[in-house]
Amino acid sequence: MEVGRLPISASQRGKLISAGYTTLASLSSLSSSDLARDLKIPESEAFEILKVASHDCRLDQPDKSNGIFTGAQTAWEMLHEEQLFPRITTSCADLDNILGGGINCKEVTEIGGVPGIGKTQLGIQLAVNVQIPVDFGGLGGKAVYIDTEGSFMVERALQIAEASVVDMSHYNELLWKELRTCQVEIQPTDILKNIFYFRICSYTEQIALINHLDKFILEHKDVKIVIIDSVTFHFRQDFEDLALRTRLLGGMALKLMNLANKYNLAVVIFNQVTTKHKEGSFQLSLALGDSWSHCCTNRVILYWNGDERNAHIDKSPSLKSASAPFSVTRKGIRNSASNHKRIKLM
């Protein structure tokens, strides 16, 4: 259970979330003096909060008297399930290839790179592509787009949506050469209506929204992808307490992993880059530190190779380390114009 549902005042809930206490479990081992210090409130008020949290935690606990655990499955069943996972195409065949067919559902994929490399473009492309109908090999789902930097462009989303409809029409013509009556019913404006956009202006808003996503997705069961562009922005400013930042990010990552698994959807997190001193020189690495790198299932790094954009599988439990070129065109993400360059397996 989350602290957002506790029967306490809104200001108290806000203070708890700001201090990194987003679940009842995070409050279970606290003393009233520690909570009072972290929330900057009187100890008597902290005691009352912990009292309410303790009561609600007991109500939220399942009956343990039967001692039965459910949900076990064999490794064979897990393998079969993974092979059936739906994937969301990036519209770049080379990139899809190294991703095993596209962005996987039930997983959290982190994509990072320097400014201008195409992170937002890829995010918008995925928000459009998740809506490709099942008959055309898509998921027929909807997208949640969380924008922390103000980089989402609705005009660009419409442009990519228009190109997607054209691509589906061409595919339809090839598939149904003798049945011209079959038409593509989805329109670009329909695609825009199925992108739920949230503009986030602080890390507390970001955490509060992610805590609210469970309820939102229950109400919008067709959501098949959650995109955060970027997860980094509000956590790189005014954070002197690194322990607090680590706790907040860890709780947020756990929540996102649970959402992906519970609702069989894809979570795509975009990250910024920073410099890291290694072996006597400064190198580019993804932001938020080493502990954050373990919070995602897959990690993809976008980088420049001369004038060409490339994507590299940096970390994955199931994908080979590989690189592939891609382009950002008027239509969206596409194969690289340099067709002579092949995917490079590392």
Side-chain angles (χ1 to χ4, degrees):
M1 180 176 176
E2 300 132 6
V3 299
R5 300 180 185 177
L6 284 176
I8 56 179
S9 70
S11 63
Q12 288 174 332
R13 287 196 294 268
K15 289 177 181 178
L16 283 170
I17 293 172
S18 296
Y21 300 108
T22 59
T23 64
L24 294 184
S26 64
L27 297 171
S28 60
S29 60
L30 274 181
S31 67
S32 56
S33 58
D34 288 339
L35 185 62
R37 183 191 66 244
D38 290 346
L39 269 58
K40 296 181 175 57
I41 58 175
E43 188 170 342
S44 58
E45 184 179 346
F47 177 79
E48 290 300 321
I49 292 174
L50 291 175
K51 183 178 178 181
V52 172
S54 176
H55 178 264
D56 279 57
C57 187
R58 288 195 298 271
L59 293 178
D60 203 45
Q61 290 296 317
D63 182 11
K64 297 181 180 178
S65 60
N66 54 22
I68 297 175
F69 290 90
T70 60
Q73 61 180 154
T74 67
W76 171 252
E77 290 170 336
M78 292 172 64
L79 176 62
H80 182 65
E81 185 180 89
E82 285 187 9
Q83 291 172 341
L84 295 176
F85 280 170
R87 287 175 168 81
I88 305 166
T89 178
T90 64
S91 291
C92 171
D94 289 345
L95 183 51
D96 282 350
N97 189 25
I98 66 171
L99 288 169
I103 299 294
N104 210 350
C105 289
K106 289 194 112 175
E107 293 182 350
V108 178
T109 300
E110 178 186 24
I111 302 175
V114 297
I117 194 65
K119 298 189 296 294
T120 297
Q121 301 290 325
L122 180 54
I124 295 173
Q125 185 75 65
L126 293 171
V128 169
N129 287 358
V130 75
Q131 301 181 50
I132 295 174
V134 175
D135 291 343
F136 293 89
L139 275 65
K142 299 177 181 178
V144 168
Y145 200 106
I146 302 172
D147 182 7
T148 68
E149 302 184 32
S151 55
F152 181 87
M153 299 162 286
V154 68
E155 296 84 3
R156 181 60 171 150
L158 178 60
Q159 196 175 48
I160 292 175
E162 290 171 343
S164 179
V165 171
V166 171
D167 288 345
M168 281 187 278
S169 298
H170 289 165
Y171 176 81
N172 192 53
E173 290 174 4
L174 291 172
L175 196 63
W176 303 97
K177 286 182 179 180
E178 298 179 0
L179 299 173
R180 295 292 182 178
T181 56
C182 185
Q183 299 291 327
V184 177
E185 296 182 358
I186 191 170
Q187 299 297 319
T189 51
D190 297 328
I191 292 175
L192 293 187
K193 290 175 183 177
N194 290 330
I195 300 175
F196 300 108
Y197 174 80
F198 295 91
R199 176 71 171 98
I200 299 302
C201 298
S202 69
Y203 78 88
T204 52
E205 284 186 13
Q206 186 170 328
I207 293 170
L209 174 58
I210 290 172
N211 286 335
H212 174 70
L213 281 180
D214 199 320
K215 181 180 178 182
F216 183 87
I217 294 170
L218 273 175
E219 296 171 353
H220 302 82
K221 296 183 183 298
D222 291 334
V223 169
K224 291 299 179 184
I225 189 169
V226 173
I227 300 163
I228 305 177
D229 182 18
S230 68
V231 69
T232 327
F233 187 71
H234 296 302
F235 285 90
R236 294 185 70 182
Q237 305 177 32
D238 304 324
F239 250 103
E240 297 179 358
D241 189 343
L242 295 182
L244 169 60
R245 189 179 80 164
T246 300
R247 188 165 69 235
L248 289 170
L249 287 169
M252 185 171 60
L254 180 61
K255 183 70 176 179
L256 291 170
M257 286 187 282
N258 288 339
L259 285 174
N261 186 64
K262 181 178 179 181
Y263 295 106
N264 192 23
L265 55 82
V267 174
V268 176
I269 297 172
F270 290 99
N271 196 351
Q272 299 173 347
V273 295
T274 185
T275 54
K276 184 177 182 179
H277 191 263
K278 185 178 180 181
E279 298 177 356
S281 63
F282 287 95
Q283 301 176 6
L284 285 178
S285 64
L286 298 192
L288 300 180
D290 293 335
S291 60
W292 172 256
S293 67
H294 302 294
C295 294
C296 302
T297 314
N298 306 302
R299 169 175 270 198
V300 181
I301 298 178
L302 309 181
Y303 65 96
W304 289 101
N305 182 11
D307 293 332
E308 187 174 59
R309 292 176 169 92
N310 276 252
H312 174 68
I313 306 295
D314 183 61
K315 168 211 162 186
S316 174
S318 58
L319 301 173
K320 295 179 180 179
S321 181
S323 297
F326 70 97
S327 292
V328 177
T329 72
R330 186 181 182 280
K331 294 180 178 181
I333 303 298
R334 294 293 187 271
N335 284 345
S336 172
S338 304
N339 293 327
H340 64 278
K341 289 192 176 182
R342 298 180 178 179
I343 297 175
K344 179 184 177 184
L345 295 179
M346 307 302 287

